[in-house]
Short mmCIF file of all heavy atoms in Angstrom, two decimals:
data_model
loop_
_atom_site.label_atom_id
_atom_site.label_comp_id
_atom_site.label_asym_id
_atom_site.label_seq_id
_atom_site.Cartn_x
_atom_site.Cartn_y
_atom_site.Cartn_z
N SER R 1 0.85 -1.18 0.01
CA SER R 1 -0.01 0.00 0.00
C SER R 1 0.88 1.22 -0.01
O SER R 1 2.06 1.18 0.38
CB SER R 1 -0.96 0.00 1.20
OG SER R 1 -0.24 0.09 2.42
N ILE R 2 0.29 2.34 -0.40
CA ILE R 2 1.03 3.58 -0.48
C ILE R 2 0.12 4.76 -0.21
O ILE R 2 -1.01 4.81 -0.69
CB ILE R 2 1.73 3.72 -1.86
CG1 ILE R 2 2.61 4.97 -1.90
CG2 ILE R 2 0.70 3.71 -2.99
CD1 ILE R 2 3.52 5.00 -3.11
N THR R 3 0.60 5.69 0.59
CA THR R 3 -0.16 6.88 0.92
C THR R 3 0.06 7.95 -0.14
O THR R 3 0.95 7.84 -0.97
CB THR R 3 0.27 7.46 2.30
OG1 THR R 3 1.60 8.00 2.16
CG2 THR R 3 0.27 6.38 3.36
N PRO R 4 -0.77 8.99 -0.13
CA PRO R 4 -0.56 10.07 -1.10
C PRO R 4 0.83 10.68 -1.02
O PRO R 4 1.33 11.16 -2.04
CB PRO R 4 -1.64 11.10 -0.71
CG PRO R 4 -2.72 10.27 -0.11
CD PRO R 4 -2.00 9.21 0.66
N GLY R 5 1.42 10.68 0.17
CA GLY R 5 2.74 11.26 0.34
C GLY R 5 3.87 10.31 -0.02
O GLY R 5 5.05 10.72 0.02
N GLY R 6 3.54 9.06 -0.31
CA GLY R 6 4.55 8.12 -0.75
C GLY R 6 5.02 7.14 0.30
O GLY R 6 5.95 6.35 0.03
N SER R 7 4.44 7.15 1.47
CA SER R 7 4.80 6.16 2.49
C SER R 7 4.27 4.79 2.07
O SER R 7 3.12 4.68 1.66
CB SER R 7 4.25 6.53 3.86
OG SER R 7 4.81 7.75 4.31
N THR R 8 5.09 3.78 2.19
CA THR R 8 4.74 2.44 1.70
C THR R 8 4.70 1.41 2.79
O THR R 8 5.33 1.56 3.85
CB THR R 8 5.71 1.99 0.62
OG1 THR R 8 7.05 1.97 1.14
CG2 THR R 8 5.67 2.93 -0.59
N ASN R 9 3.95 0.37 2.52
CA ASN R 9 3.87 -0.78 3.41
C ASN R 9 3.83 -2.04 2.56
O ASN R 9 3.11 -2.08 1.55
CB ASN R 9 2.61 -0.68 4.28
CG ASN R 9 2.50 -1.84 5.26
OD1 ASN R 9 3.44 -2.13 5.99
ND2 ASN R 9 1.33 -2.47 5.30
N TYR R 10 4.59 -3.05 2.93
CA TYR R 10 4.69 -4.26 2.15
C TYR R 10 4.47 -5.48 3.02
O TYR R 10 4.84 -5.50 4.21
CB TYR R 10 6.06 -4.43 1.51
CG TYR R 10 6.42 -3.38 0.50
CD1 TYR R 10 7.13 -2.23 0.87
CD2 TYR R 10 6.04 -3.51 -0.84
CE1 TYR R 10 7.47 -1.28 -0.06
CE2 TYR R 10 6.37 -2.55 -1.77
CZ TYR R 10 7.08 -1.44 -1.38
OH TYR R 10 7.41 -0.47 -2.32
N ALA R 11 3.86 -6.51 2.42
CA ALA R 11 3.83 -7.80 3.06
C ALA R 11 5.25 -8.34 3.17
O ALA R 11 6.08 -8.10 2.28
CB ALA R 11 2.96 -8.75 2.26
N ASP R 12 5.53 -9.05 4.24
CA ASP R 12 6.88 -9.59 4.43
C ASP R 12 7.30 -10.48 3.26
O ASP R 12 8.49 -10.50 2.90
CB ASP R 12 6.94 -10.40 5.72
CG ASP R 12 6.89 -9.52 6.97
OD1 ASP R 12 7.16 -8.32 6.86
OD2 ASP R 12 6.58 -10.07 8.04
N SER R 13 6.37 -11.17 2.67
CA SER R 13 6.69 -12.09 1.60
C SER R 13 7.19 -11.43 0.32
O SER R 13 7.79 -12.09 -0.53
CB SER R 13 5.47 -12.96 1.28
OG SER R 13 4.38 -12.17 0.86
N VAL R 14 6.95 -10.12 0.18
CA VAL R 14 7.34 -9.43 -1.04
C VAL R 14 8.39 -8.36 -0.82
O VAL R 14 8.86 -7.76 -1.80
CB VAL R 14 6.12 -8.86 -1.79
CG1 VAL R 14 5.08 -9.92 -2.03
CG2 VAL R 14 5.55 -7.64 -1.02
N LYS R 15 8.74 -8.11 0.40
CA LYS R 15 9.73 -7.06 0.69
C LYS R 15 11.04 -7.37 -0.02
O LYS R 15 11.54 -8.48 -0.02
CB LYS R 15 9.98 -6.97 2.20
CG LYS R 15 8.85 -6.29 2.96
CD LYS R 15 9.18 -6.19 4.45
CE LYS R 15 8.08 -5.48 5.21
NZ LYS R 15 8.36 -5.42 6.67
N GLY R 16 11.57 -6.33 -0.64
CA GLY R 16 12.81 -6.47 -1.37
C GLY R 16 12.64 -6.90 -2.80
O GLY R 16 13.59 -6.82 -3.58
N ARG R 17 11.46 -7.35 -3.16
CA ARG R 17 11.18 -7.82 -4.51
C ARG R 17 10.17 -6.95 -5.24
O ARG R 17 10.28 -6.74 -6.44
CB ARG R 17 10.67 -9.26 -4.51
CG ARG R 17 11.66 -10.25 -3.90
CD ARG R 17 11.20 -11.70 -4.10
NE ARG R 17 9.91 -11.97 -3.42
CZ ARG R 17 8.80 -12.33 -4.05
NH1 ARG R 17 8.83 -12.52 -5.37
NH2 ARG R 17 7.68 -12.56 -3.37
N PHE R 18 9.19 -6.46 -4.51
CA PHE R 18 8.12 -5.64 -5.10
C PHE R 18 8.29 -4.18 -4.71
O PHE R 18 8.75 -3.89 -3.59
CB PHE R 18 6.75 -6.10 -4.65
CG PHE R 18 6.32 -7.45 -5.16
CD1 PHE R 18 7.17 -8.29 -5.83
CD2 PHE R 18 5.00 -7.85 -4.97
CE1 PHE R 18 6.78 -9.53 -6.30
CE2 PHE R 18 4.57 -9.09 -5.44
CZ PHE R 18 5.45 -9.92 -6.10
N THR R 19 7.90 -3.30 -5.58
CA THR R 19 7.92 -1.88 -5.29
C THR R 19 6.60 -1.25 -5.72
O THR R 19 6.20 -1.39 -6.88
CB THR R 19 9.07 -1.17 -6.00
OG1 THR R 19 10.33 -1.77 -5.62
CG2 THR R 19 9.10 0.32 -5.63
N ILE R 20 5.94 -0.59 -4.79
CA ILE R 20 4.71 0.10 -5.11
C ILE R 20 5.02 1.59 -5.29
O ILE R 20 5.86 2.14 -4.57
CB ILE R 20 3.63 -0.12 -4.05
CG1 ILE R 20 2.28 0.44 -4.51
CG2 ILE R 20 4.04 0.49 -2.70
CD1 ILE R 20 1.11 0.03 -3.60
N SER R 21 4.38 2.22 -6.22
CA SER R 21 4.55 3.64 -6.45
C SER R 21 3.23 4.21 -6.98
O SER R 21 2.32 3.47 -7.35
CB SER R 21 5.69 3.91 -7.45
OG SER R 21 5.42 3.32 -8.71
N ARG R 22 3.16 5.54 -6.99
CA ARG R 22 1.94 6.15 -7.50
C ARG R 22 2.26 7.48 -8.17
O ARG R 22 3.26 8.14 -7.84
CB ARG R 22 0.91 6.35 -6.39
CG ARG R 22 1.31 7.33 -5.29
CD ARG R 22 0.33 7.26 -4.11
NE ARG R 22 -0.94 7.90 -4.41
CZ ARG R 22 -2.01 7.81 -3.62
NH1 ARG R 22 -1.98 7.06 -2.51
NH2 ARG R 22 -3.13 8.45 -3.96
N ASP R 23 1.43 7.84 -9.10
CA ASP R 23 1.50 9.11 -9.78
C ASP R 23 0.19 9.82 -9.47
O ASP R 23 -0.84 9.51 -10.07
CB ASP R 23 1.68 8.92 -11.27
CG ASP R 23 1.91 10.23 -12.00
OD1 ASP R 23 1.45 11.27 -11.53
OD2 ASP R 23 2.55 10.20 -13.08
N ASN R 24 0.23 10.73 -8.52
CA ASN R 24 -0.99 11.38 -8.07
C ASN R 24 -1.65 12.20 -9.19
O ASN R 24 -2.86 12.31 -9.27
CB ASN R 24 -0.70 12.29 -6.89
CG ASN R 24 -0.35 11.48 -5.63
OD1 ASN R 24 -0.79 10.35 -5.47
ND2 ASN R 24 0.47 12.07 -4.78
N ALA R 25 -0.83 12.77 -10.06
CA ALA R 25 -1.37 13.58 -11.16
C ALA R 25 -2.16 12.70 -12.14
O ALA R 25 -3.10 13.18 -12.80
CB ALA R 25 -0.26 14.29 -11.90
N LYS R 26 -1.79 11.43 -12.23
CA LYS R 26 -2.46 10.52 -13.16
C LYS R 26 -3.45 9.59 -12.45
O LYS R 26 -4.06 8.74 -13.07
CB LYS R 26 -1.44 9.66 -13.91
CG LYS R 26 -0.54 10.46 -14.82
CD LYS R 26 0.44 9.55 -15.54
CE LYS R 26 1.33 10.33 -16.50
NZ LYS R 26 2.30 9.45 -17.19
N ASN R 27 -3.56 9.75 -11.14
CA ASN R 27 -4.45 8.90 -10.34
C ASN R 27 -4.14 7.42 -10.58
O ASN R 27 -5.04 6.60 -10.71
CB ASN R 27 -5.93 9.19 -10.64
CG ASN R 27 -6.36 10.54 -10.16
OD1 ASN R 27 -5.85 11.06 -9.17
ND2 ASN R 27 -7.36 11.11 -10.84
N THR R 28 -2.87 7.12 -10.61
CA THR R 28 -2.43 5.78 -10.97
C THR R 28 -1.47 5.22 -9.93
O THR R 28 -0.62 5.94 -9.41
CB THR R 28 -1.74 5.80 -12.34
OG1 THR R 28 -2.66 6.27 -13.33
CG2 THR R 28 -1.28 4.39 -12.74
N VAL R 29 -1.63 3.94 -9.63
CA VAL R 29 -0.73 3.23 -8.76
C VAL R 29 -0.10 2.09 -9.54
O VAL R 29 -0.73 1.50 -10.41
CB VAL R 29 -1.45 2.71 -7.51
CG1 VAL R 29 -2.54 1.71 -7.85
CG2 VAL R 29 -0.47 2.12 -6.50
N TYR R 30 1.17 1.81 -9.24
CA TYR R 30 1.90 0.77 -9.93
C TYR R 30 2.44 -0.25 -8.93
O TYR R 30 2.66 0.04 -7.76
CB TYR R 30 3.10 1.37 -10.69
CG TYR R 30 2.73 2.47 -11.64
CD1 TYR R 30 2.78 3.80 -11.22
CD2 TYR R 30 2.37 2.21 -12.95
CE1 TYR R 30 2.45 4.83 -12.09
CE2 TYR R 30 2.03 3.23 -13.82
CZ TYR R 30 2.08 4.55 -13.38
OH TYR R 30 1.76 5.57 -14.25
N LEU R 31 2.69 -1.43 -9.42
CA LEU R 31 3.36 -2.44 -8.64
C LEU R 31 4.40 -3.09 -9.52
O LEU R 31 4.07 -3.85 -10.44
CB LEU R 31 2.39 -3.50 -8.11
CG LEU R 31 3.00 -4.53 -7.17
CD1 LEU R 31 3.44 -3.87 -5.85
CD2 LEU R 31 2.02 -5.67 -6.88
N GLN R 32 5.66 -2.79 -9.25
CA GLN R 32 6.76 -3.43 -9.95
C GLN R 32 7.11 -4.69 -9.21
O GLN R 32 7.47 -4.65 -8.03
CB GLN R 32 7.97 -2.48 -10.00
CG GLN R 32 9.18 -3.07 -10.70
CD GLN R 32 8.97 -3.35 -12.16
OE1 GLN R 32 8.46 -2.48 -12.87
NE2 GLN R 32 9.34 -4.54 -12.62
N MET R 33 7.03 -5.81 -9.89
CA MET R 33 7.27 -7.11 -9.28
C MET R 33 8.49 -7.74 -9.92
O MET R 33 8.49 -8.05 -11.10
CB MET R 33 6.04 -8.02 -9.44
CG MET R 33 4.76 -7.45 -8.89
SD MET R 33 3.36 -8.60 -8.97
CE MET R 33 3.14 -8.68 -10.74
N ASN R 34 9.53 -7.92 -9.13
CA ASN R 34 10.77 -8.51 -9.58
C ASN R 34 11.00 -9.83 -8.87
O ASN R 34 10.43 -10.10 -7.82
CB ASN R 34 11.94 -7.57 -9.34
CG ASN R 34 11.83 -6.27 -10.09
OD1 ASN R 34 11.31 -6.22 -11.19
ND2 ASN R 34 12.36 -5.20 -9.49
N SER R 35 11.89 -10.62 -9.42
CA SER R 35 12.25 -11.91 -8.84
C SER R 35 11.03 -12.72 -8.48
O SER R 35 10.90 -13.25 -7.37
CB SER R 35 13.14 -11.68 -7.62
OG SER R 35 14.31 -10.97 -7.94
N LEU R 36 10.11 -12.83 -9.41
CA LEU R 36 8.85 -13.49 -9.13
C LEU R 36 9.04 -14.97 -8.83
O LEU R 36 9.90 -15.63 -9.42
CB LEU R 36 7.90 -13.30 -10.29
CG LEU R 36 7.24 -11.92 -10.37
CD1 LEU R 36 6.70 -11.63 -11.76
CD2 LEU R 36 6.13 -11.81 -9.33
N LYS R 37 8.21 -15.42 -7.93
CA LYS R 37 8.23 -16.83 -7.51
C LYS R 37 6.87 -17.45 -7.81
O LYS R 37 5.87 -16.76 -7.98
CB LYS R 37 8.49 -16.94 -5.99
CG LYS R 37 9.76 -16.24 -5.52
CD LYS R 37 9.85 -16.29 -4.01
CE LYS R 37 11.10 -15.58 -3.50
NZ LYS R 37 11.18 -15.63 -2.01
N SER R 38 6.83 -18.76 -7.83
CA SER R 38 5.58 -19.45 -8.08
C SER R 38 4.54 -19.11 -7.01
O SER R 38 3.35 -19.07 -7.31
CB SER R 38 5.78 -20.97 -8.13
OG SER R 38 6.31 -21.45 -6.91
N GLU R 39 5.00 -18.83 -5.82
CA GLU R 39 4.10 -18.45 -4.72
C GLU R 39 3.40 -17.11 -4.97
O GLU R 39 2.43 -16.80 -4.28
CB GLU R 39 4.85 -18.38 -3.40
CG GLU R 39 5.65 -19.61 -3.05
CD GLU R 39 7.09 -19.50 -3.46
OE1 GLU R 39 7.39 -19.85 -4.64
OE2 GLU R 39 7.93 -19.08 -2.64
N ASP R 40 3.88 -16.34 -5.92
CA ASP R 40 3.27 -15.07 -6.23
C ASP R 40 2.08 -15.22 -7.18
O ASP R 40 1.38 -14.23 -7.44
CB ASP R 40 4.28 -14.12 -6.88
CG ASP R 40 5.43 -13.78 -5.94
OD1 ASP R 40 5.17 -13.52 -4.75
OD2 ASP R 40 6.58 -13.77 -6.41
N THR R 41 1.86 -16.41 -7.68
CA THR R 41 0.74 -16.64 -8.57
C THR R 41 -0.57 -16.37 -7.86
O THR R 41 -0.86 -16.93 -6.81
CB THR R 41 0.76 -18.10 -9.09
OG1 THR R 41 1.92 -18.30 -9.90
CG2 THR R 41 -0.49 -18.37 -9.93
N ALA R 42 -1.37 -15.47 -8.41
CA ALA R 42 -2.61 -15.07 -7.79
C ALA R 42 -3.32 -14.08 -8.71
O ALA R 42 -2.76 -13.61 -9.69
CB ALA R 42 -2.37 -14.43 -6.44
N VAL R 43 -4.55 -13.77 -8.36
CA VAL R 43 -5.24 -12.64 -8.97
C VAL R 43 -4.90 -11.43 -8.13
O VAL R 43 -5.08 -11.44 -6.91
CB VAL R 43 -6.76 -12.86 -9.03
CG1 VAL R 43 -7.44 -11.62 -9.61
CG2 VAL R 43 -7.09 -14.09 -9.87
N TYR R 44 -4.41 -10.41 -8.77
CA TYR R 44 -4.03 -9.18 -8.09
C TYR R 44 -5.09 -8.13 -8.27
O TYR R 44 -5.53 -7.85 -9.40
CB TYR R 44 -2.68 -8.67 -8.62
CG TYR R 44 -1.50 -9.49 -8.10
CD1 TYR R 44 -1.30 -10.79 -8.53
CD2 TYR R 44 -0.62 -8.94 -7.17
CE1 TYR R 44 -0.23 -11.55 -8.04
CE2 TYR R 44 0.43 -9.69 -6.68
CZ TYR R 44 0.63 -10.98 -7.10
OH TYR R 44 1.69 -11.72 -6.62
N TYR R 45 -5.49 -7.54 -7.17
CA TYR R 45 -6.55 -6.54 -7.15
C TYR R 45 -6.02 -5.19 -6.72
O TYR R 45 -5.37 -5.07 -5.70
CB TYR R 45 -7.68 -6.95 -6.23
CG TYR R 45 -8.41 -8.22 -6.63
CD1 TYR R 45 -7.98 -9.46 -6.14
CD2 TYR R 45 -9.50 -8.18 -7.47
CE1 TYR R 45 -8.64 -10.62 -6.49
CE2 TYR R 45 -10.17 -9.33 -7.82
CZ TYR R 45 -9.73 -10.55 -7.33
OH TYR R 45 -10.38 -11.72 -7.67
N CYS R 46 -6.33 -4.18 -7.48
CA CYS R 46 -6.05 -2.82 -7.09
C CYS R 46 -7.12 -2.35 -6.12
O CYS R 46 -8.29 -2.71 -6.23
CB CYS R 46 -6.04 -1.93 -8.32
SG CYS R 46 -5.77 -0.17 -8.01
#
């Protein structure tokens, strides 16, 4: 999760691998997922 000011919170299972960011001007949030594992397989919901 990410606040309007950019403060982030991550599940322990994805720390160091995933990065959340947002562009407030575009009302858009992103999730960069690196070093993906089979355990990451899921439906992801914004």
Side-chain angles (χ1 to χ4, degrees):
S1 64
I2 185 168
T3 70
S7 296
T8 58
N9 182 50
Y10 296 94
D12 288 340
S13 60
V14 306
K15 285 182 178 177
R17 300 188 298 119
F18 291 10
T19 302
I20 189 170
S21 61
R22 65 191 285 169
D23 186 333
N24 292 331
K26 296 181 179 179
N27 291 331
T28 300
V29 63
Y30 306 92
L31 185 67
Q32 178 66 47
M33 304 185 292
N34 298 327
S35 302
L36 283 161
K37 306 174 181 179
S38 60
E39 307 95 273
D40 297 317
T41 295
V43 177
Y44 284 70
Y45 296 91
C46 177

